[in-house]
Amino acid sequence: SPLTAPIPGTSREEKPLSVPISPLYEAIHRAMLTGLISNVGKRGKESGGFEYDGARSVKFAIFPGSGLFKANPDWLVAGELVRTTKLYARAVARVKPEWIEQAGAHLLKRSHLEPHYDERGARVMAYERVSLLGLVLVEKRRVHFGAIDPKLSREIFIQHALVEGLLPTRAE
């Protein structure tokens, strides 16, 4: 879905407008991410959405004078983090986690969980968790496990697809 601007005067939940943000906005903010990758944040669920979880286990809030203060975006990048009574993000912009993943590809940590045989695809799949400096970008993405661990993938395929007969065939 396209990145959208906040609707003024709405609740703290992020509500999309039907007008997408321009490609220029995307290009500028992708470029900013390359230098400010440690200033990204994901809206926290525990604090009612007012506090953000950042890289390296930092917690911060959007500065009250910011234009995005009431918009409460799910993901953001801050131009600076300033500590007053608490840590505030200033000069913030809404970003997509895909942009963060691409800009910080060299800093990502990927872990693969629960390898399993997928009957529909007739291959071994797993769930991938992607984190950047401790901040989880992707919690549970399905990925093909064969390229990650071919030996274990082969064993799972043989056990489930062939021995247990889960591989769909025309043979009787």
Side-chain angles (χ1 to χ4, degrees), residues 26-92:
E26 181 178 340
I28 289 169
H29 291 88
R30 279 179 179 257
M32 285 177 52
L33 278 170
T34 60
L36 298 170
I37 198 71
S38 63
N39 287 5
V40 297
K42 177 182 181 182
R43 184 173 58 174
K45 303 298 180 204
E46 308 84 44
S47 64
F50 290 96
E51 200 169 65
Y52 283 78
D53 299 322
R56 298 184 179 98
S57 301
V58 171
K59 293 202 180 290
F60 59 87
I62 298 176
F63 185 71
S66 171
L68 285 181
F69 179 69
K70 290 185 180 176
N72 209 23
D74 288 334
W75 290 90
L76 60 80
V77 62
E80 62 181 349
L81 296 173
V82 178
R83 184 170 304 280
T84 57
T85 54
K86 63 182 190 177
L87 190 60
Y88 285 109
R90 294 180 16 153
V92 297

Side-chain angles (χ1 to χ4, degrees), residues 10-154:
T10 59
S11 70
R12 300 239 356 133
E13 291 301 314
E14 187 174 341
K15 301 220 170 137
L17 266 179
S18 59
V19 180
I21 298 296
S22 73
L24 180 61
Y25 178 94
E26 181 178 340
I28 289 169
H29 291 88
R30 279 179 179 257
M32 285 177 52
L33 278 170
T34 60
L36 298 170
I37 198 71
S38 63
N39 287 5
V40 297
K42 177 182 181 182
R43 184 173 58 174
K45 303 298 180 204
E46 308 84 44
S47 64
F50 290 96
E51 200 169 65
Y52 283 78
D53 299 322
R56 298 184 179 98
S57 301
V58 171
K59 293 202 180 290
F60 59 87
I62 298 176
F63 185 71
S66 171
L68 285 181
F69 179 69
K70 290 185 180 176
N72 209 23
D74 288 334
W75 290 90
L76 60 80
V77 62
E80 62 181 349
L81 296 173
V82 178
R83 184 170 304 280
T84 57
T85 54
K86 63 182 190 177
L87 190 60
Y88 285 109
R90 294 180 16 153
V92 297
R94 184 181 314 214
V95 292
K96 289 185 174 183
E98 300 86 44
W99 301 354
I100 299 168
E101 194 173 348
Q102 289 173 353
H106 60 292
L107 299 171
L108 295 179
K109 182 178 178 184
R110 298 175 188 273
S111 54
H112 299 92
L113 314 162
E114 302 175 34
H116 59 279
Y117 177 69
D118 179 38
E119 288 183 60
R120 282 192 331 196
R123 61 185 186 168
V124 178
M125 303 292 286
Y127 295 109
E128 181 179 54
R129 180 181 176 156
V130 181
S131 61
L132 169 80
L133 305 172
L135 176 65
V136 177
L137 299 177
V138 180
E139 183 65 44
K140 208 171 182 182
R141 175 190 297 156
R142 285 178 45 113
V143 294
H144 175 56
F145 194 64
I148 297 162
D149 189 343
K151 185 177 179 188
L152 180 58
S153 181
R154 181 176 184 269

